[in-house]
Amino acid sequence: MKIAIIGAGNMGGALARGLARGTKVAAEDIWLSDLSYDNLANVKNEFPAINITTDNCEAVSMADFIILAVKPFVVQKVVEGIKDSIDYNSQTVASIVGGLGSEQLDAWLKKDNSSLPPVYTIIPNTAIATMSSMTFIASSRSTAAMDAAILDIFNELGEAMLVEERLMLPATALASCGIAYAMRYIRAAMVGGIELGFRPDDAKRIVMQTMRGAVDVLSAENAHPEAEIDKVTTPGGLTIKGLNAMESAGFTNSVIEGLRASMKK
């Protein structure tokens, strides 16, 4: 499959890097387009086989699968600029633009007397650059075979899930915004570690490995987090004291409130 990514900013660049690191799409079959040559050069320097261009229509003409990865406020202009270059009978359009649903994308893609192409709404997070993303995919006018092929590509870049489009906003809060929330926990724990006497780099290393361990345990055991918490909370022990202090400060509620706030447009 040949892929065009329109936009080489944070998300478009991350996606290009992840794809180039994988085996499902050859780097020479990736076309990356952006008005900023600096953005393109940053990716090209890392992955010389990727094709770069400042002409969106050129990238579109080379691809089977076209991914929009631009800012929300320019996406309409970009779509209207490339739609006459898209063959709706043989090419597929996808968006990783936050908050853009298939209905709005269809309205912008519409041509006179022409049926619309298959459309995908895809929400990854920035960990896609290191093939560790949690990616959500919703499709419109696709086939089961197409869905399977797209899932296969994005599963190599972390873990991918095909969902109903109505779940895209919650998915964004939980995983796309959520990666920032995880980073904020790491930062908070680092600051605490520094107060306890560790150097900043050592504190970060400790917290990161602890998080990796927590994820690995939950993955290996397919356990509920509370069951694993129970294993390390002895009566009157240090862990339960720390957990209770965190809850008293609103830990769980603050996380839930943050997720809810992320869903407000």
Side-chain angles (χ1 to χ4, degrees), residues 137-214:
I137 301 169
S139 61
S140 176
R141 294 181 300 277
S142 66
T143 65
M146 291 170 62
D147 290 348
I150 300 305
L151 275 169
D152 187 47
I153 289 171
F154 282 91
N155 268 321
E156 188 182 33
L157 304 180
E159 186 169 339
M161 182 183 296
L162 195 65
V163 300
E164 298 175 47
E165 190 170 346
R166 67 179 179 83
L167 291 173
M168 278 307 200
L169 188 54
T172 300
L174 200 57
S176 187
C177 300
I179 195 167
Y181 305 153
M183 297 289 186
R184 182 55 61 89
Y185 168 77
I186 292 172
R187 176 184 173 276
M190 279 179 60
V191 171
I194 294 166
E195 183 176 331
L196 296 176
F198 287 99
R199 295 183 181 276
D201 285 348
D202 289 338
K204 184 175 79 168
R205 175 184 172 193
I206 292 165
V207 176
M208 287 171 60
Q209 183 56 38
T210 301
M211 290 192 71
R212 288 191 194 99

Side-chain angles (χ1 to χ4, degrees), residues 224-235 240 243:
H224 191 284
E226 204 61 38
E228 296 303 320
I229 289 171
D230 286 345
K231 293 179 181 179
V232 294
T233 49
T234 55
I240 192 62
L243 287 170

Side-chain angles (χ1 to χ4, degrees), residues 46-192:
E46 292 181 55
F47 301 95
I50 288 180
N51 303 283
I52 60 172
T53 179
T54 55
D55 185 341
N56 291 340
C57 292
E58 179 186 11
V60 165
S61 70
M62 303 303 295
D64 307 304
F65 193 62
I66 301 153
I67 302 176
L68 304 169
V70 296
K71 298 294 185 183
F73 60 87
V74 300
V75 66
Q76 180 179 1
K77 181 179 179 181
V78 168
V79 171
E80 291 174 348
I82 64 174
K83 69 179 182 181
D84 288 337
S85 300
I86 303 173
D87 182 345
Y88 289 3
N89 294 314
S90 63
Q91 292 176 292
T92 300
V93 179
S95 164
I96 64 171
V97 180
L100 177 60
S102 61
E103 185 176 348
Q104 180 62 79
L105 185 54
D106 282 350
W108 291 336
L109 285 168
K110 191 170 180 59
K111 300 179 188 179
D112 292 338
N113 303 317
S114 177
S115 59
L116 289 163
V119 163
Y120 283 88
T121 304
I122 301 172
I123 299 295
N125 60 36
T126 52
I128 203 163
T130 55
M131 304 174 75
S132 302
S133 177
M134 180 67 238
T135 302
F136 299 89
I137 301 169
S139 61
S140 176
R141 294 181 300 277
S142 66
T143 65
M146 291 170 62
D147 290 348
I150 300 305
L151 275 169
D152 187 47
I153 289 171
F154 282 91
N155 268 321
E156 188 182 33
L157 304 180
E159 186 169 339
M161 182 183 296
L162 195 65
V163 300
E164 298 175 47
E165 190 170 346
R166 67 179 179 83
L167 291 173
M168 278 307 200
L169 188 54
T172 300
L174 200 57
S176 187
C177 300
I179 195 167
Y181 305 153
M183 297 289 186
R184 182 55 61 89
Y185 168 77
I186 292 172
R187 176 184 173 276
M190 279 179 60
V191 171

Side-chain angles (χ1 to χ4, degrees), residues 239-255:
T239 305
I240 192 62
K241 290 177 181 176
L243 287 170
N244 285 344
M246 289 180 184
E247 290 300 335
S248 178
F251 181 79
T252 297
N253 189 62
S254 68
V255 172

